[in-house]
Amino acid sequence: MGESNGEGFLRFNFLLMVIIFQGFIIAQEIEDVSISENQIEHTPPNGWDLNFGIGGPRGYYLLGLAKDIPLGDHLALTVTGGLGLQTIATGLLYASNYRSDGFLISLTGGYDLLIGVDFIPQLCISYQTRLQERLFLTLGVGVAVSRYKESYGWETTILPYPTITLNFIE
C-alpha cells in the first residue's frame, strides 16, 4: 500500500530535523580553522554570533545565536537557534566581507518548535556595516514561506519582511 501525503510529508520533515540537529553537532565539534592573513577579512569568525532584531541573514527570528562554519573564502554553513519564526535553522551564507562592510546573501531553512509552524525556508539579501570591532548593523530584505495546519487543511503564507539586526560577533 502507498503512504498518504501526510505520512510522506512527516518523514520528509523528520529528515530535515535530523539534518538541522546534525548541523548543531558539527558546529560544536569543529576546531579553529587555519587561514592565511589575506583570507582573514573574507572568512567567518570561529566563535558564535549573537543577533538581535527583525529577521536577519541567518534566520527569521528576533533574538538568535548563530555559528558560521567556513566552506570557502566567502561561503559558510550557518547553524542558528533563536526566538522567532525559526527556532532552529541551518543554511548557506555568502558574505562579500565577514569582518567589514559588505553584502550578505543567505538561504536558510528551519522550524518553529514553539508554535508548530512547519519547515520554513528563507531567502535574505542584506548589507552589513561595522559599528565597532565586533558589532555590526545589518539592513536588508527577506522572504520566508511558512506552512501550518488549520482546521480545514494546510495553509501556506509568503512573508516578505525587512531585516534590521545588530550582530555581535565573538
Short mmCIF file of all heavy atoms in Angstrom, two decimals, residues 4-7 9-10 13 115-119 146-157:
data_model
loop_
_atom_site.label_atom_id
_atom_site.label_comp_id
_atom_site.label_asym_id
_atom_site.label_seq_id
_atom_site.Cartn_x
_atom_site.Cartn_y
_atom_site.Cartn_z
N SER A 4 0.14 7.85 2.67
CA SER A 4 -0.62 9.07 2.42
C SER A 4 0.34 10.26 2.32
O SER A 4 1.48 10.18 2.74
CB SER A 4 -1.63 9.32 3.56
OG SER A 4 -0.94 9.71 4.73
N ASN A 5 -0.16 11.35 1.75
CA ASN A 5 0.67 12.56 1.62
C ASN A 5 1.16 13.05 2.97
O ASN A 5 2.27 13.54 3.10
CB ASN A 5 -0.11 13.67 0.92
CG ASN A 5 -0.21 13.42 -0.57
OD1 ASN A 5 0.54 12.62 -1.10
ND2 ASN A 5 -1.15 14.08 -1.21
N GLY A 6 0.32 12.91 4.01
CA GLY A 6 0.71 13.35 5.34
C GLY A 6 1.87 12.56 5.89
O GLY A 6 2.78 13.11 6.50
N GLU A 7 1.87 11.23 5.70
CA GLU A 7 2.96 10.40 6.20
C GLU A 7 4.27 10.72 5.48
O GLU A 7 5.32 10.80 6.10
CB GLU A 7 2.63 8.92 6.03
CG GLU A 7 1.55 8.43 6.96
CD GLU A 7 1.15 6.99 6.67
OE1 GLU A 7 1.64 6.41 5.66
OE2 GLU A 7 0.34 6.45 7.42
N PHE A 9 5.06 13.53 4.07
CA PHE A 9 5.48 14.86 4.50
C PHE A 9 6.11 14.81 5.88
O PHE A 9 7.10 15.48 6.15
CB PHE A 9 4.28 15.80 4.47
CG PHE A 9 4.67 17.24 4.56
CD1 PHE A 9 5.28 17.87 3.49
CD2 PHE A 9 4.45 17.95 5.72
CE1 PHE A 9 5.66 19.18 3.57
CE2 PHE A 9 4.83 19.27 5.81
CZ PHE A 9 5.43 19.89 4.73
N LEU A 10 5.54 13.99 6.80
CA LEU A 10 6.11 13.85 8.14
C LEU A 10 7.50 13.24 8.07
O LEU A 10 8.41 13.65 8.79
CB LEU A 10 5.20 13.00 9.02
CG LEU A 10 3.93 13.70 9.50
CD1 LEU A 10 3.05 12.72 10.26
CD2 LEU A 10 4.26 14.89 10.37
N ASN A 13 9.86 15.95 6.89
CA ASN A 13 10.14 16.89 7.97
C ASN A 13 11.07 16.29 9.00
O ASN A 13 11.95 16.96 9.53
CB ASN A 13 8.85 17.35 8.64
CG ASN A 13 8.13 18.38 7.81
OD1 ASN A 13 8.73 19.03 6.98
ND2 ASN A 13 6.84 18.51 8.02
N ILE A 115 5.44 27.23 18.24
CA ILE A 115 4.03 27.31 17.85
C ILE A 115 3.64 26.28 16.80
O ILE A 115 2.51 26.25 16.36
CB ILE A 115 3.64 28.73 17.36
CG1 ILE A 115 4.43 29.12 16.12
CG2 ILE A 115 3.82 29.74 18.46
CD1 ILE A 115 3.97 30.42 15.49
N GLY A 116 4.57 25.45 16.38
CA GLY A 116 4.23 24.34 15.50
C GLY A 116 4.15 24.66 14.02
O GLY A 116 3.54 23.92 13.27
N VAL A 117 4.74 25.77 13.59
CA VAL A 117 4.78 26.05 12.16
C VAL A 117 5.75 25.06 11.53
O VAL A 117 6.77 24.71 12.12
CB VAL A 117 5.24 27.50 11.89
CG1 VAL A 117 5.41 27.76 10.41
CG2 VAL A 117 4.23 28.48 12.47
N ASP A 118 5.41 24.59 10.35
CA ASP A 118 6.20 23.57 9.69
C ASP A 118 7.52 24.15 9.17
O ASP A 118 7.87 25.28 9.45
CB ASP A 118 5.37 23.00 8.54
CG ASP A 118 5.76 21.60 8.18
OD1 ASP A 118 6.49 20.97 8.95
OD2 ASP A 118 5.36 21.14 7.12
N PHE A 119 8.25 23.40 8.37
CA PHE A 119 9.53 23.82 7.81
C PHE A 119 9.39 25.17 7.11
O PHE A 119 8.47 25.38 6.34
CB PHE A 119 10.04 22.75 6.82
CG PHE A 119 11.36 23.09 6.22
CD1 PHE A 119 12.51 22.97 6.97
CD2 PHE A 119 11.46 23.52 4.92
CE1 PHE A 119 13.75 23.28 6.43
CE2 PHE A 119 12.69 23.83 4.37
CZ PHE A 119 13.84 23.70 5.13
N SER A 146 5.94 30.15 5.17
CA SER A 146 5.53 29.31 6.30
C SER A 146 4.35 28.44 5.89
O SER A 146 3.53 28.82 5.06
CB SER A 146 5.15 30.17 7.51
OG SER A 146 3.95 30.86 7.28
N ARG A 147 4.29 27.27 6.47
CA ARG A 147 3.22 26.31 6.20
C ARG A 147 2.74 25.78 7.54
O ARG A 147 3.53 25.27 8.32
CB ARG A 147 3.77 25.18 5.33
CG ARG A 147 2.72 24.23 4.85
CD ARG A 147 3.32 23.33 3.76
NE ARG A 147 2.29 22.49 3.21
CZ ARG A 147 2.14 21.21 3.49
NH1 ARG A 147 2.98 20.61 4.30
NH2 ARG A 147 1.17 20.52 2.96
N TYR A 148 1.46 25.92 7.80
CA TYR A 148 0.93 25.48 9.08
C TYR A 148 -0.45 24.86 8.88
O TYR A 148 -1.12 25.12 7.89
CB TYR A 148 0.87 26.63 10.09
CG TYR A 148 0.16 27.86 9.55
CD1 TYR A 148 -1.19 28.05 9.78
CD2 TYR A 148 0.85 28.81 8.82
CE1 TYR A 148 -1.84 29.16 9.27
CE2 TYR A 148 0.22 29.93 8.31
CZ TYR A 148 -1.13 30.10 8.55
OH TYR A 148 -1.77 31.19 8.04
N LYS A 149 -0.83 24.04 9.83
CA LYS A 149 -2.08 23.29 9.71
C LYS A 149 -3.23 24.09 10.32
O LYS A 149 -3.14 24.56 11.45
CB LYS A 149 -1.95 21.94 10.40
CG LYS A 149 -3.13 21.05 10.14
CD LYS A 149 -2.78 19.62 10.36
CE LYS A 149 -3.98 18.78 10.06
NZ LYS A 149 -3.78 17.81 9.07
N GLU A 150 -4.27 24.23 9.56
CA GLU A 150 -5.53 24.83 10.01
C GLU A 150 -6.56 23.72 10.13
O GLU A 150 -6.32 22.59 9.72
CB GLU A 150 -6.01 25.89 9.00
CG GLU A 150 -5.16 27.12 8.95
CD GLU A 150 -5.36 28.02 10.16
OE1 GLU A 150 -6.32 27.81 10.94
OE2 GLU A 150 -4.54 28.92 10.35
N SER A 151 -7.72 24.04 10.65
CA SER A 151 -8.78 23.03 10.82
C SER A 151 -9.24 22.47 9.47
O SER A 151 -9.65 21.32 9.37
CB SER A 151 -9.97 23.63 11.57
OG SER A 151 -10.47 24.75 10.86
N TYR A 152 -9.12 23.25 8.41
CA TYR A 152 -9.57 22.82 7.08
C TYR A 152 -8.43 22.26 6.22
O TYR A 152 -8.65 21.85 5.10
CB TYR A 152 -10.22 23.99 6.34
CG TYR A 152 -9.36 25.23 6.28
CD1 TYR A 152 -8.39 25.38 5.29
CD2 TYR A 152 -9.51 26.23 7.22
CE1 TYR A 152 -7.59 26.50 5.24
CE2 TYR A 152 -8.71 27.37 7.17
CZ TYR A 152 -7.76 27.50 6.19
OH TYR A 152 -6.98 28.61 6.15
N GLY A 153 -7.20 22.25 6.71
CA GLY A 153 -6.06 21.72 5.94
C GLY A 153 -4.83 22.59 6.14
O GLY A 153 -4.75 23.39 7.06
N TRP A 154 -3.86 22.42 5.26
CA TRP A 154 -2.60 23.15 5.36
C TRP A 154 -2.73 24.51 4.71
O TRP A 154 -3.28 24.66 3.63
CB TRP A 154 -1.48 22.36 4.69
CG TRP A 154 -1.07 21.18 5.49
CD1 TRP A 154 -1.52 19.90 5.36
CD2 TRP A 154 -0.15 21.17 6.58
NE1 TRP A 154 -0.94 19.09 6.29
CE2 TRP A 154 -0.08 19.84 7.05
CE3 TRP A 154 0.62 22.13 7.19
CZ2 TRP A 154 0.73 19.46 8.11
CZ3 TRP A 154 1.44 21.77 8.25
CH2 TRP A 154 1.48 20.45 8.69
N GLU A 155 -2.16 25.52 5.36
CA GLU A 155 -2.15 26.90 4.86
C GLU A 155 -0.70 27.30 4.60
O GLU A 155 0.17 27.06 5.42
CB GLU A 155 -2.78 27.82 5.91
CG GLU A 155 -2.88 29.26 5.50
CD GLU A 155 -3.91 29.50 4.42
OE1 GLU A 155 -4.92 28.79 4.37
OE2 GLU A 155 -3.69 30.41 3.60
N THR A 156 -0.44 27.92 3.46
CA THR A 156 0.90 28.39 3.12
C THR A 156 0.86 29.91 2.99
O THR A 156 -0.03 30.46 2.36
CB THR A 156 1.38 27.77 1.79
OG1 THR A 156 1.38 26.35 1.93
CG2 THR A 156 2.78 28.24 1.43
N THR A 157 1.83 30.57 3.62
CA THR A 157 1.90 32.02 3.60
C THR A 157 3.30 32.46 3.18
O THR A 157 4.29 31.93 3.68
CB THR A 157 1.60 32.61 4.99
OG1 THR A 157 0.35 32.12 5.44
CG2 THR A 157 1.58 34.12 4.97
#
